Amino acid sequence: MSVRVLLADDQRLVRHGLRMILGSEPGIEVVGEAADGAEAIDAARRLLPDVVLMDVRMPVLDGVEATRRLLVGPEPRPRVLVLTTFDLDEYVYAALRAGAAGFLLKDVAEDHLVAGVRAVAEGGSLLDPAITRRLVERHVLTAPPAGSGPDVSSLTAREVDVLRLVARGLSNAEVAAELVVSDATVKTHVARILAKLGLRDRTQAVIAAYESGLVRPAAQRP
């Protein structure tokens, strides 16, 4: 089945370029366009795309709020892939907190754009753990104070250990090696953490670890 994509960007030429690139790829169908966040929400609910390529800076309603509304709205919910000009844009951090699956720079190579759309459509997150940490550590001081994030009291001691290691950017295999358990055990712990905290993916888990106070930015560590 084709991956259905909605393009949301206030610049017509950007939308045209994205349509040209994605529309020429087998297995990808551009089903619509939107020039602002409000249009994106309306179009997504009408067209039911698998992926929304969402610019964060748009008139009427920005991409952050549009992402938040889409991802708490009725099912089926699309995966949101944020488009930005800057890799440490404060809007990107806010969009990830709202549930975006990752972000791409607008000058991304064509093959990376296509691969990113496919990866997100398949349920993956398009964000390197190191970039996640940089984003969080740069913006956590201006985000809600530590302790205002998800309530982690429902996590077991081992789940807390796993969450701390995930927040450091470790893969499941690396967490397994650190804790001397199997990969399957780590996957089970991660799934339980996401379910207990009401999180969508590992990116939100990293943010939750910082905002709950389980992990502190490097600048705040003794």
Side-chain angles (χ1 to χ4, degrees), residues 95-167:
L96 295 175
R97 290 184 74 233
F103 77 90
L104 288 171
L105 298 181
K106 286 190 175 181
D107 61 357
V108 65
E110 294 183 10
D111 57 338
H112 288 171
L113 170 65
V114 173
V117 168
R118 294 190 192 279
V120 166
E122 293 171 1
S125 294
L126 195 66
L127 197 64
D128 183 270
I131 295 177
T132 304
R133 293 199 307 278
R134 281 200 300 151
L135 280 165
V136 172
E137 294 204 356
R138 174 163 175 166
H139 294 290
V140 74
L141 296 179
T142 58
S148 64
D151 181 3
V152 297
S153 62
S154 63
L155 301 182
T156 66
R158 180 44 59 96
E159 288 166 352
V160 168
D161 291 340
V162 170
L163 180 55
R164 285 193 173 117
L165 293 174
V166 168

Side-chain angles (χ1 to χ4, degrees), residues 43-213:
R45 290 175 177 167
R46 285 187 294 103
L47 301 172
L48 303 180
D50 301 303
V51 176
V52 178
L53 275 179
M54 183 83 76
D55 184 21
V56 289
R57 300 187 181 189
M58 293 186 290
V60 184
L61 190 71
D62 66 37
V64 174
E65 183 59 26
T67 296
R68 183 177 296 111
R69 294 186 190 182
L70 278 177
L71 297 182
V72 298
E75 298 280 4
R77 297 168 188 161
R79 302 278 286 170
V80 176
L81 188 53
V82 170
L83 292 170
T84 183
T85 307
F86 305 104
D87 64 345
L88 290 178
D89 194 310
E90 63 184 22
Y91 285 88
V92 173
Y93 177 73
L96 295 175
R97 290 184 74 233
F103 77 90
L104 288 171
L105 298 181
K106 286 190 175 181
D107 61 357
V108 65
E110 294 183 10
D111 57 338
H112 288 171
L113 170 65
V114 173
V117 168
R118 294 190 192 279
V120 166
E122 293 171 1
S125 294
L126 195 66
L127 197 64
D128 183 270
I131 295 177
T132 304
R133 293 199 307 278
R134 281 200 300 151
L135 280 165
V136 172
E137 294 204 356
R138 174 163 175 166
H139 294 290
V140 74
L141 296 179
T142 58
S148 64
D151 181 3
V152 297
S153 62
S154 63
L155 301 182
T156 66
R158 180 44 59 96
E159 288 166 352
V160 168
D161 291 340
V162 170
L163 180 55
R164 285 193 173 117
L165 293 174
V166 168
R168 282 171 44 191
L170 273 65
S171 66
N172 283 354
E174 290 167 334
V175 173
E178 183 85 9
L179 299 179
V180 196
V181 297
S182 69
D183 286 10
T185 297
V186 173
K187 289 179 181 178
T188 298
H189 284 313
V190 170
R192 288 176 178 167
I193 290 167
L194 297 180
K196 286 183 177 181
L197 301 184
L199 306 174
R200 294 181 181 86
D201 52 38
R202 294 171 75 96
T203 299
Q204 284 199 318
V206 173
I207 293 172
Y210 278 89
E211 293 191 347
S212 66

